[in-house]
Amino acid sequence: MLESLVRGRDLLLLACAASLGCSRAANKRETVLTFSGSALGAEGTLVAKQLKRFMQLNPDIRVELQRTPDDASQRHQLYVQWLNARVGNPSILQLDVVWTPEFAAAGWVLPLDRFGPAKAEFFAATIAANTWAGKVYALPWFADVGLLYRRTDLVPREPRTLEEVVDDAQSAMSRRGGPRYGIVSQGARYEGLITGFVEYLGAFGGQIIDDRGEVVVNRPEAVRALEFMRDELYRTRVAPLDVLTWHEEEARFAFQNGNAVFMRNWPYPVAAMSDTAQSKVAGKFAVSPMPASGTAPAGHSTAALGGAQLAINAYTEFPDAAYKLIAYLTAPEQMLERAQAVGQYPTRPALYDDARLKSAIAIPLDNARRAIESATPRPVTPIYTELSEILQIELHRALVRQAAPRAALDAAAAKINALIERTGMRKLMAAASKA
Amino acid sequence: MRKTSRLGSEARLGWSLVAPALSVIALIAIFPLGWTFWESLHLHELRMPWLGKPFIGLANYAEIVKDPRFWGALGHTAFFTVVSISLELLIGLFLALAMNRVFRGRGFVRAAVLVPWAIPTVVAALLWRFIFESQGGIANALLVRAGILDQPMVWFIETATAWVPVILADVWKTTPFVALLLLAGLQNIDLTLYEAAAVDGANAWWQLRHITLPLLKPAILVTLIFRTLDGFRVFDLIYVLTGGGPGTSTEPVALYTFNALLQNLRFGYGSALSVVIFAITFGLALFYVRGLGVRLGGEES
């Protein structure tokens, strides 16, 4: 029995030596990176193309593509399982913007400072979102921002305040043959609700957690922001109650079919909505940053920040090669190519002066840049996901009128404070700031 | 003396014969349960390795007791279970009585009734969501046309109306199963009882109350035990239809546990929740079997 096993292994070795592929794997000197990330459709083609070019430039490094689910929460769950088992692959992780602090605090991704990333070349908010305890743990690959879409045939001038948005929506709706809905957005109980809330919150000068780490989501500014959102549903009635069950796509359908004056959404629908074959609003809409409230002195135009980051698996054998690849993929040329191929926004402000970007993203470059400059990261904390769940529930309760805005936000603040206590965040942050 | 030792060797033989089966049960049921219980005594957050994995005794259970979301979820689960099972028993009994009569095409009707039961729950739930989802949906259109509603409504943003599609979907899907179980019970009733009752001048109502229902009791209890345990573990239907919303007002315990365990990766706390669900369903099963005398086996009492 044992003998036959040994002989079997010898045979295998022989077969290995004979075939090139196996001898490569057996050769430990070769640097093999695994890259995981969105690899569907046009994005997949683009990634394959860029990885191939990278390998031509670096013949000593081989990069393999490792498929991961495209759904963010499924990918997150897989990453966490692998990293708990200290698996070194994939060597490069694609992180959602709100995951970086979690992975950093867990020690699952490497700090990048020793590689000397050119932090100043990226939008400040995109670096802030990837910074934990003073160190950068991931580089922004592409940015997503919340934008205000408006029908230019109904509202020719860009509204300067949130109050103007509501007025414009009401007058366009009351016009004969005007759209059924004023403002559509994603208001179901999920992460999308938080991104919308963050924008209203900033517009009224509020925050969820302040710079000193205090929970301030029940301060008066925040209560006013939530009241404004609720008034849009029940008082000014510019938003249909349906939005409380909607995700981004339902909002897009409504706007694309000509049923809404305004829409809050990400940049992705621009392409489909500019296509006359499927869109009733092609050539009749414009995109601008979400405005601030005209009644709140501390309010400022705010966009929620989304997008993907690239980070190095802390258990990889080849951190230097991995950084090389990240630097390559986040270099201006590759970002520009990405914008041209799939319309995703570069995270480098300098590219917004580049004429080649203009044809790649269908909206005026200045509007896009202004939106990203007004972008605010959601709370940069390792416990973001649970914090978000608490807020999702309490905000939704307020918006469906199960609770008053003030009471809902008080409850959220109490629960977030309890979460911070339970997870030992204060101690962790104190230790991190000392290090 | 000799007798006991023979019994002892017989017992030993018996044990050795059931040993393989017992070891399989130990492997697939008792071991995971024990592991889950052991896990539930720890603080174990997969996302927060800095907390370590300390043994914390019953602290997770103490947190459950103080967790209003858990008690809410327990209430929603009980509400769902009681309402949907009552409706299913009532309608199922009616269907079973109808199917028990001799008529042409009875075989076809019995098969046709089972169709909803054959549809996977997730698919059925998607179907019902589609019916109720938008203001232009089928449910709204029908109710407005019938004059019951003045204007279309959004079903999923109010607790009371969000339950409607949930309960309807469950009743639609599970009543056939209930009807079939009851039908099997009905077929065991000796027809001569009805003939004798008819000779004595008993009407249909009297026959139902004094012959059918008492003799159907074992079948009804078996149905109850199955459905109660199912109802208590309801997950996929609500996950798809309401996601537990609005707020958390339709969230059942299984969904809350899934959330703690697989969304938030709180292995310790989630395991404690799983153990609590197990204890409750086990207690319910015990109550049915011991308290109400449901006979799951074929033995005579």
Side-chain angles (χ1 to χ4, degrees), chain A residues 109-183:
Chain A
V109 290
L110 293 179
L112 302 181
D113 299 76
R114 69 171 157 120
F115 302 106
K119 289 190 266 186
E121 290 177 13
F122 296 91
F123 283 109
T126 64
I127 290 295
N130 287 310
T131 303
W132 169 245
K135 295 198 186 99
V136 176
Y137 283 85
L139 286 185
W141 194 17
F142 57 84
D144 237 353
V145 278
L147 296 167
L148 182 67
Y149 290 69
R150 85 172 184 280
R151 285 276 298 280
T152 43
D153 54 332
L154 302 168
V155 185
R157 207 172 48 94
E158 180 185 327
R160 283 163 309 174
T161 63
L162 276 182
E163 290 75 15
E164 271 183 41
V165 173
V166 171
D167 289 345
D168 289 345
Q170 277 179 325
S171 62
M173 284 164 82
S174 60
R175 233 186 265 182
R176 184 192 288 205
R180 233 178 333 152
Y181 309 135
I183 306 166

Side-chain angles (χ1 to χ4, degrees), chain B residues 259-297:
Chain B
N259 203 58
L261 209 51
L262 290 167
Q263 297 297 126
N264 295 334
L265 302 172
R266 299 188 64 193
F267 276 28
Y269 187 69
S271 298
L273 282 170
S274 309
V275 170
V276 169
I277 296 189
F278 168 76
I280 292 173
T281 42
F282 190 76
L284 279 171
L286 215 62
F287 165 74
Y288 276 119
V289 174
R290 288 282 161 78
L292 299 181
V294 178
R295 278 179 293 134
L296 289 171

Side-chain angles (χ1 to χ4, degrees), chain A residues 37-356:
Chain A
S38 308
L40 287 179
E43 240 184 311
T45 320
L46 175 76
V47 166
K49 201 162 107 188
Q50 294 188 344
L51 291 182
K52 206 172 148 196
R53 267 202 330 255
F54 174 77
M55 284 188 275
Q56 281 162 0
L57 289 169
N58 301 276
D60 55 326
I61 303 175
R62 196 153 55 89
V63 189
E64 283 169 359
L65 206 62
Q66 182 169 350
R67 294 210 170 271
T68 50
D70 223 48
D71 176 76
S73 64
Q74 281 178 26
R75 183 188 296 150
H76 179 275
Q77 201 185 319
L78 261 186
Y79 278 175
V80 172
Q81 276 171 17
W82 287 337
L83 292 163
N84 265 282
R86 300 168 180 262
V87 179
N89 286 329
S91 23
I92 289 160
L93 308 173
Q94 176 183 331
L95 303 183
D96 200 277
V97 70
V98 287
W99 304 347
T100 309
E102 175 190 341
F103 281 58
W108 293 333
V109 290
L110 293 179
L112 302 181
D113 299 76
R114 69 171 157 120
F115 302 106
K119 289 190 266 186
E121 290 177 13
F122 296 91
F123 283 109
T126 64
I127 290 295
N130 287 310
T131 303
W132 169 245
K135 295 198 186 99
V136 176
Y137 283 85
L139 286 185
W141 194 17
F142 57 84
D144 237 353
V145 278
L147 296 167
L148 182 67
Y149 290 69
R150 85 172 184 280
R151 285 276 298 280
T152 43
D153 54 332
L154 302 168
V155 185
R157 207 172 48 94
E158 180 185 327
R160 283 163 309 174
T161 63
L162 276 182
E163 290 75 15
E164 271 183 41
V165 173
V166 171
D167 289 345
D168 289 345
Q170 277 179 325
S171 62
M173 284 164 82
S174 60
R175 233 186 265 182
R176 184 192 288 205
R180 233 178 333 152
Y181 309 135
I183 306 166
V184 293
S185 61
Q186 74 285 13
R189 201 200 81 196
Y190 79 118
E191 186 58 32
L193 178 60
I194 306 296
T195 58
F197 176 64
V198 162
E199 288 160 3
Y200 281 88
L201 194 58
F204 281 89
Q207 277 180 302
I208 296 172
I209 293 183
D210 71 8
D211 303 333
R212 292 176 307 146
E214 297 297 319
V215 178
V216 291
V217 75
N218 54 344
R219 295 274 165 85
E221 310 84 67
V223 176
R224 284 185 61 203
L226 186 54
E227 274 167 354
F228 193 89
M229 290 172 81
R230 203 156 96 141
D231 284 348
E232 286 186 346
L233 293 159
Y234 302 101
R235 219 172 51 82
T236 54
R237 289 174 164 275
V238 286
L241 292 177
D242 301 64
V243 299
L244 295 171
T245 66
W246 280 3
H247 294 64
E248 284 90 345
E249 278 296 85
E250 287 97 332
R252 176 174 75 87
F253 288 138
F255 190 82
Q256 185 170 312
N257 287 327
N259 291 332
V261 189
F262 290 99
M263 166 172 77
R264 183 271 168 216
N265 214 322
W266 307 98
Y268 83 91
V270 170
M273 293 197 314
S274 309
D275 174 8
T276 44
Q278 49 174 317
S279 167
K280 288 188 181 158
V281 296
K284 287 194 287 191
F285 72 92
V287 171
S288 53
M290 288 287 291
S293 162
T295 61
H300 49 89
S301 166
T302 306
L305 178 69
Q309 341 296 316
L310 298 176
I312 303 175
N313 185 333
Y315 304 110
T316 184
E317 275 181 80
F318 313 108
D320 297 292
Y323 184 75
K324 227 179 208 178
L325 179 55
I326 291 180
Y328 179 79
L329 290 173
T330 55
E333 286 309 308
Q334 276 62 248
M335 274 194 187
L336 197 60
E337 186 183 30
R338 174 163 275 273
Q340 283 163 337
V342 290
Q344 281 161 348
Y345 287 14
T347 52
R348 294 169 172 274
L351 283 174
Y352 290 79
D353 297 325
D354 193 317
R356 285 174 296 170

